[in-house]
Amino acid sequence: MKENMTNEELQAWVEKISMDSFGVPFQHRAMFNGRLSSTGGRYFLKGHNIEINPHQLDNFGNEEVEKIIKHELCHYHLHLRGRGYRHRDQEFKQLLKQVGGSRFCQSLPGTKARKPQPYRYKLTCSQCGMAYLRKRKVDPKRYRCGKCSGKLRIYELDSNSSG
């Protein structure tokens, strides 16, 4: 395959990989999406289509993109068979290893790694004192303590401490 590939060429490539590696045809759409930035590709549960990041092809070549396609096809084939298609599922991990797909895509040059967001809020149980740290503000009325089912109170942490 080559760089600057069209969606039609990608479609044919995905169909070929599906037959060669999985022995089952890919019967939906595969297309490039240049807006993807932090992921190599994605599989849509509702439409069963696959999108591939064209920047991965430009930066890392066919071999890396083929691993990404295999990764997305693992989601595709397992989901359609009603099997464990999520990243955490053992069936997904086994099939991915079996076909030689990549678990993670390479980071694109020029993209910054996200720095971890600090904890900004603390939920405290009014009965047992159990504390829960949160990065985002939540409504304490919607939740209860996981330990004793007591009511929770929210406190904002000062900006120079993280817990």
Side-chain angles (χ1 to χ4, degrees):
M1 294 287 152
K2 62 182 191 299
E3 289 184 17
N4 298 328
M5 185 184 297
T6 64
N7 281 332
E8 290 74 25
E9 292 170 315
L10 175 66
Q11 179 74 30
W13 191 20
V14 171
E15 289 172 5
K16 181 180 178 350
I17 291 171
S18 183
M19 284 307 294
D20 293 350
S21 298
F22 298 85
V24 182
F26 175 72
Q27 298 178 323
H28 291 84
R29 297 291 313 146
M31 63 207 88
F32 285 113
N33 182 349
R35 294 182 313 272
L36 297 177
S37 59
S38 62
T39 183
R42 61 182 173 184
Y43 164 65
F44 291 93
L45 295 174
K46 287 190 178 164
H48 308 295
N49 295 329
I50 289 176
E51 289 184 343
I52 301 295
N53 185 340
H55 307 298
Q56 290 286 330
L57 183 63
D58 298 340
N59 288 286
F60 304 113
N62 296 334
E63 197 174 310
E64 194 61 34
V65 173
E66 185 169 331
K67 291 177 184 177
I68 293 168
I69 291 170
K70 287 179 179 179
H71 177 108
E72 301 309 326
L73 284 172
C74 284
H75 288 300
Y76 173 81
H77 290 299
L78 288 169
H79 180 249
L80 290 180
R81 283 190 274 163
R83 311 299 295 231
Y85 61 89
R86 295 183 176 103
H87 290 127
R88 65 175 178 253
D89 293 329
Q90 202 58 43
E91 287 175 296
F92 177 80
K93 292 176 186 176
Q94 286 171 347
L95 184 59
L96 190 64
K97 190 175 182 180
Q98 183 183 325
V99 297
S102 62
R103 189 97 162 89
F104 306 100
C105 70
Q106 294 186 38
S107 296
L108 292 168
T111 56
K112 296 178 189 171
R114 290 185 184 174
K115 59 181 179 182
Q117 191 178 6
Y119 291 114
R120 295 172 45 208
Y121 300 95
K122 184 178 189 178
L123 292 166
T124 307
C125 177
S126 57
Q127 283 184 327
C128 70
M130 182 73 182
Y132 303 93
L133 294 173
R134 290 287 174 263
K135 294 179 182 187
R136 294 184 182 181
K137 192 171 186 176
V138 295
D139 182 6
K141 294 179 200 138
R142 295 187 62 201
Y143 300 95
R144 291 291 190 149
C145 175
K147 192 173 177 183
C148 72
S149 298
K151 288 186 179 182
L152 297 173
R153 290 196 180 131
I154 191 164
Y155 302 96
E156 193 165 346
L157 300 172
D158 22 335
S159 58
N160 57 6
S161 75
S162 61

